[in-house]
Amino acid sequence: MKKLTSCTAWRELGEYRRSFGAVHMRELFAADLQRASRFSSTFEGLFLDYSKNRIDDDGLALLLQLALERDIPGAIAKSFTGNRLNVTEQRAVLHTALRAPATERVILDGTDVVPAVHQVLGRLAVFSQKVRDGSWLGFSGLPIRDVVNIGIGGSHLGPQMVTTALRDFADGPAVHFVSNIDGADIHSRLQTLNPASTLFIVASKSFGTQETMTNAATARSWLLDGGATAADVERHFVAVSTNAEKVAAFGIDTENMFGFWDWVGGRYSLWSAIGLPIILSVGFERFEQLLAGAHAMDRHFRDSELHENWPVLMALLGVWYNNFLGAETCAVLPYAEQLRWLPEYLQQADMESNGKHTTVDGDLIDYHTGPVVWGSPGTNSQHAYFQLLHQGSRLVPADFIAVVNPGHPLREHHDLLLANCFAQSEALMLGRSLEETRQHSSAELAPHRTFAGNRPSNTILLQQLDPRALGSLVALYEHKIFVQGIIWGINSFDQWGVELGKQLAGEILPGLNQPLGSSRNPSTLQLLDYCRNKSRKNNN
C-alpha cells in the first residue's frame, strides 16, 4: 500500500489545517444554522451528534477522500470474509461472525463458520439455563448463588463491562470478576462467598495464562478447604478454553468446556463463550439481543456509504485530531454509572489494537498512531479532571455518551445528569471569551475565568441502555478502531507489545526468593534485593 504521508488527501489535509486552524466552532455554527442537524444522524435506538467538531464540509470531504485512498471500502469488505487480516500471526479476523444469525454464511478456508458458532451458543444456552433455574447443584446440594469469572484482558474486561452495564436486567446468580494477580483481588472476593454455592468460570484459551491459572488454583484450593472433594471440582468449575487436556487435568469435565476460535482476538471475544458470565447474569435471550445489536451495526458498517457510516466518520475525526491537530489522547465520558467500565474496556480495545510503531510491512512509522484512551463516568469526572479539559494547554477530544430513558425511577437525578452532560459539551465548544468574562468579573480575575472553547466532542445518545443498544455501541467502537488501523497502515489484531514483559517476569520471578546472577539490570537486582530483605517470609 502507498505510504500514508504520500497520499494526496493527507498532504491536502495538512494545507487545510494551516488555513482552517484558527477557525472557532462558534463561527461554524453561526455560519450554518443547520449544522447541528447536518452533522448528526440516527441509527436504530442511537443518536450521534458530531457537530461539535473542528471541521467543516471541506475538511470532511478531504477526510473521506483519504478513506478512499486508503481503500476503506475494500478493507471493510475483507473484514467480513476469511481474509487473514492479522498478517503477523496469519489469522483471520472474524469476530463479526460471532453475532451473525444462523441464516448467514461466513466462509473461512472453504468452511462456513456460522454453524459452529451457533452450536457453541446452543450449548451455552443449555448450560446457563441449568444454573439459572437452580437445577445445577453444588457439592452439598445447594443451587448456585454466585459466579466468579476468572480471566484477564479480553477474558475479563468485556464480560465485566457488559454485565455491569446490563445490571438492570440481571435476574440470575450474582456475578463477580477476578483478574489481577495481586492476591488481594481474589482473597477479598472469596471472603464474601460460600464454597457450596459458588461456580467459577476459568476463561483462558490456552488454559495457561499465568495470572488466570494462579487465581484458578487458589479458587480450587479454597473450594477444597471449604468441604468439597476433588471429585466435586467439576460441579464448581467450568472452562472457556480450547485446551481440553489441561482443562481435564485441572478437574473440569470437558463437557463443560466452551471453546472459541483463533480468529477471535481476546479483546473482541465478549460475543463468544467468553460472554458466559453475561448469559448467567441476564439470560441467553438477552445475550442474543446483545449479539443482534452488534450485528445491526455490522450491517451498517458493511453497507453504508462512507459519508453516513458512523464508524468511518468517528474514525476519520479521530485521525484528524490525532495526526493534524496534535491531540495525544481522547476521553470517553459515559454519563451513565452502569457504563463505568466502558472507558477501561475501550482502553484495551483501542490501545492494544492500534498502539503500533510499524506498518503491516514492517516499516517504522513516522506519524502518530493510536491515542491514549481514558475517561470515567460523569458527573464524578467533572470534579476530577474537567479543569484540564476546559482550561488546560492540551487538546482532548471527547466522546460523551448518555442514556435518554434511565432504568430507575429517579427522574430528577436523571434530568440533572443529562443537563450536565449537554452543558459540558457546550461549554467545551463555546468557551467564554475575555471580553465576555470582563462583563461579570474583575479585571484581575477575568483571565483566570476565561475559556478558550473550541474543544471538540461527539455526543452519543442511547434511547435506553438495553442489550441491543449496548451491542450496537460496542460494535461501533470496534469498527472505528479497525478503520483507524487501516488508515495508519498497521495490524490492529496482534499485540506483541505485551510479550516482552511477560517473558521477563518469568526470568525475574526466582529472584524474589534467591539472588540472581549479576547479568540482570542493576536497578532490577536492587529492587529484588530490597524485597527479599524486607519480606516477612524470609525474616521468620
Side-chain angles (χ1 to χ4, degrees):
M1 180 181 285
K2 183 179 181 181
K3 188 175 180 181
L4 174 59
T5 52
S6 298
C7 290
T8 301
W10 184 273
R11 295 197 305 271
E12 292 182 354
L13 280 164
E15 296 170 3
Y16 169 80
R17 161 68 181 88
R18 287 185 285 275
S19 63
F20 185 78
V23 176
H24 199 288
M25 281 188 280
R26 285 190 179 197
E27 300 173 51
L28 298 178
F29 276 94
D32 181 2
L33 299 181
Q34 304 303 315
R35 179 178 173 86
S37 60
R38 291 198 310 109
F39 285 74
S40 62
S41 66
T42 58
F43 172 80
E44 295 196 352
L46 282 70
F47 180 79
L48 170 64
D49 179 352
Y50 58 100
S51 62
K52 297 188 189 75
N53 278 288
R54 291 172 59 176
I55 202 81
D56 63 5
D57 291 312
D58 292 338
L60 195 56
L62 287 174
L63 288 170
L64 290 167
Q65 181 59 38
L66 180 65
L68 290 174
E69 288 192 61
R70 302 302 280 176
D71 192 23
I72 294 301
I76 292 173
K78 289 178 181 178
S79 73
F80 288 92
T81 67
N83 281 267
R84 284 171 167 74
L85 298 179
N86 183 350
V87 294
T88 63
E89 297 178 298
Q90 281 301 297
R91 292 179 180 176
V93 179
L94 285 176
H95 50 273
T96 53
L98 297 171
R99 53 248 193 170
T103 53
E104 287 204 1
R105 286 169 55 83
V106 179
I107 305 301
L108 173 61
D109 295 334
T111 300
D112 182 5
V113 303
V114 174
V117 169
H118 281 267
Q119 191 269 337
V120 173
L121 287 173
R123 293 181 59 227
L124 290 169
V126 171
F127 171 77
S128 62
Q129 185 58 35
K130 292 178 183 177
V131 176
R132 285 168 52 82
D133 67 17
S135 60
W136 183 281
L137 303 178
F139 67 86
S140 71
L142 290 176
I144 299 300
R145 303 298 185 199
D146 293 276
V147 174
V148 180
N149 187 78
I150 300 177
I152 199 164
S155 300
H156 162 76
L157 291 167
Q160 176 184 248
M161 182 272 291
V162 174
T163 301
T164 304
L166 299 181
R167 68 185 181 192
D168 286 344
F169 300 89
D171 54 5
V175 177
H176 315 274
F177 294 89
V178 168
S179 61
N180 202 328
I181 193 61
D182 185 344
D185 191 7
I186 192 166
H187 179 73
S188 62
R189 179 56 57 199
L190 295 179
Q191 297 276 62
T192 67
L193 304 178
N194 178 2
S197 58
T198 300
L199 176 73
F200 294 93
I201 303 168
V202 184
S204 170
K205 182 182 289 187
S206 65
F207 222 68
T209 308
Q210 186 178 50
E211 298 95 332
T212 298
M213 298 316 301
T214 300
N215 279 325
T218 297
R220 189 179 187 277
S221 297
W222 173 81
L223 178 74
L224 297 177
D225 291 343
T229 67
D232 296 323
V233 169
E234 65 181 29
R235 303 299 303 170
H236 292 270
F237 280 84
V238 298
V240 180
S241 179
T242 57
N243 194 327
E245 183 178 352
K246 287 188 175 181
V247 167
F250 187 89
I252 298 173
D253 185 347
T254 53
E255 288 296 309
N256 300 317
M257 182 185 84
F258 304 96
F260 53 111
W261 303 269
D262 67 1
W263 40 262
V264 181
R267 55 192 174 275
Y268 301 97
S269 65
L270 71 85
W271 321 100
S272 70
I274 290 293
L276 179 56
I278 306 168
I279 299 172
L280 291 171
S281 176
V282 303
F284 186 74
E285 288 185 7
R286 294 189 179 107
F287 186 73
E288 287 186 305
Q289 294 166 15
L290 182 81
L291 299 180
H295 181 65
M297 183 57 72
D298 294 342
R299 293 198 313 270
H300 168 79
F301 179 56
R302 183 188 61 200
D303 299 335
S304 297
E305 298 294 330
L306 296 185
H307 68 277
E308 55 188 12
N309 192 308
W310 282 26
V312 171
L313 290 170
M314 290 185 65
L316 292 174
L317 289 168
V319 168
W320 169 238
Y321 295 121
N322 190 57
N323 296 107
F324 295 94
L325 293 184
E328 297 180 344
T329 78
C330 63
V332 178
L333 306 170
Y335 274 65
E337 180 63 22
Q338 286 160 262
L339 290 175
R340 64 181 178 271
W341 294 115
L342 181 63
E344 187 171 335
Y345 169 77
L346 292 177
Q347 278 182 341
Q348 187 204 23
D350 199 318
M351 296 172 70
E352 195 168 81
S353 294
N354 288 344
K356 308 292 170 61
H357 71 288
T358 57
T359 68
V360 291
D361 298 321
D363 298 324
L364 288 175
I365 288 172
D366 57 358
Y367 46 83
H368 287 303
T369 56
V372 175
V373 178
W374 60 284
S376 58
T379 59
N380 289 359
S381 52
Q382 294 174 199
H383 298 270
Y385 48 77
F386 269 50
Q387 169 64 39
L388 184 146
L389 298 187
H390 285 288
Q391 291 186 309
S393 58
R394 300 180 184 277
L395 178 68
V396 182
D399 287 349
F400 289 86
I401 302 169
V403 180
V404 177
N405 298 297
H408 60 75
L410 304 178
R411 190 72 220 191
E412 181 181 0
H413 285 252
H414 198 66
D415 287 349
L416 284 168
L417 180 71
L418 291 178
N420 273 273
C421 176
F422 303 156
Q424 291 297 327
S425 66
E426 182 177 274
L428 286 167
M429 184 272 286
L430 286 176
R432 188 169 63 200
S433 68
L434 181 60
E435 181 180 349
E436 291 169 332
T437 304
R438 282 172 174 163
Q439 296 175 12
H440 50 80
S441 179
S442 66
E444 293 79 9
L445 285 178
H448 302 281
R449 300 180 68 179
T450 296
F451 298 78
N454 216 24
R455 312 284 175 118
S457 67
N458 300 303
T459 299
I460 301 172
L461 299 179
L462 286 64
Q463 289 182 24
Q464 54 271 323
L465 182 52
D466 60 21
R468 186 177 179 95
L470 181 63
S472 293
L473 179 68
V474 175
L476 165 64
Y477 278 97
E478 286 182 348
H479 296 314
K480 170 200 167 184
I481 292 163
F482 168 71
V483 171
Q484 290 184 329
I486 297 298
I487 295 287
W488 291 320
I490 59 180
N491 179 5
S492 297
F493 301 105
D494 62 10
Q495 54 280 331
W496 298 107
V498 306
E499 297 299 323
L500 178 59
K502 289 162 63 175
Q503 173 192 330
L504 295 180
E507 298 173 7
I508 289 169
L509 180 62
L512 290 164
N513 294 292
Q514 60 187 24
L516 295 180
S518 59
S519 60
R520 294 223 77 86
N521 178 274
S523 172
T524 303
L525 293 174
Q526 174 180 259
L527 294 170
L528 289 169
D529 289 344
Y530 183 87
C531 288
R532 279 199 315 275
N533 292 334
K534 297 299 181 182
S535 173
R536 282 175 292 180
K537 68 181 179 183
N538 293 327
N539 292 333
N540 291 336

